Amino acid sequence: MIAAEDATFGLTEIRVGLWPFVVFRAVVAAIGERRAVELGLTGRIIDATEAAGMGLAHRVIPATELEARASEIAAEVAAASPEAVGAGLRFVAETRGLAWEQAGESAQRFRQELFRTPGFTEGIRAFREKRRPRWPSHKPVE
């Protein structure tokens, strides 16, 4: 995630008598339980630099560059194999909290599935031919 240098973040629900139930687990995954609990209990607002230091944001950039950088990141993701991106995100969700051995077994299964896809075949072919891949499953935006 990128953040504009003037962005602020907080779990402010406590200020109105609520707990941040909906987003709490995602915030814990990003910054750890202790930090998330502290933000949830205090309702403290943090700036983009502190958010990046906690791992809530990856990069802090000038607000004037936010749209361009977001477009660049979207283009980078869109250039990747849709099959591999989907499999990777499913792997992350499926293995969250699993023991190392169980996650390794899932990784093997996901790899084997991707090895059998037309996208993997095209990716290897493009690599050998030193060209950009033309993903068979890619559906261009019109």
Side-chain angles (χ1 to χ4, degrees), residues 21-110:
F21 295 108
V22 175
V23 300
F24 190 76
R25 296 307 304 167
V27 174
V28 167
I31 68 173
E33 188 173 280
R34 290 180 61 157
R35 286 180 171 160
V37 168
E38 185 264 331
L39 291 176
L41 289 174
T42 64
R44 184 168 70 88
I45 303 292
I46 61 174
D47 64 22
T49 302
E50 186 173 357
M54 289 182 174
L56 191 58
H58 298 115
R59 291 183 202 95
V60 177
I61 59 173
T64 56
E65 298 174 19
L66 189 63
E67 188 174 337
R69 184 63 187 127
S71 293
E72 290 171 9
I73 292 169
E76 290 170 4
V77 173
S81 162
E83 294 163 321
V85 169
L89 292 175
R90 287 190 307 277
F91 171 76
V92 169
E94 181 179 301
T95 60
R96 187 175 290 123
L98 289 184
W100 185 259
E101 185 175 309
Q102 292 171 303
E105 290 169 5
S106 289
Q108 283 289 73
R109 181 173 40 82
F110 275 96

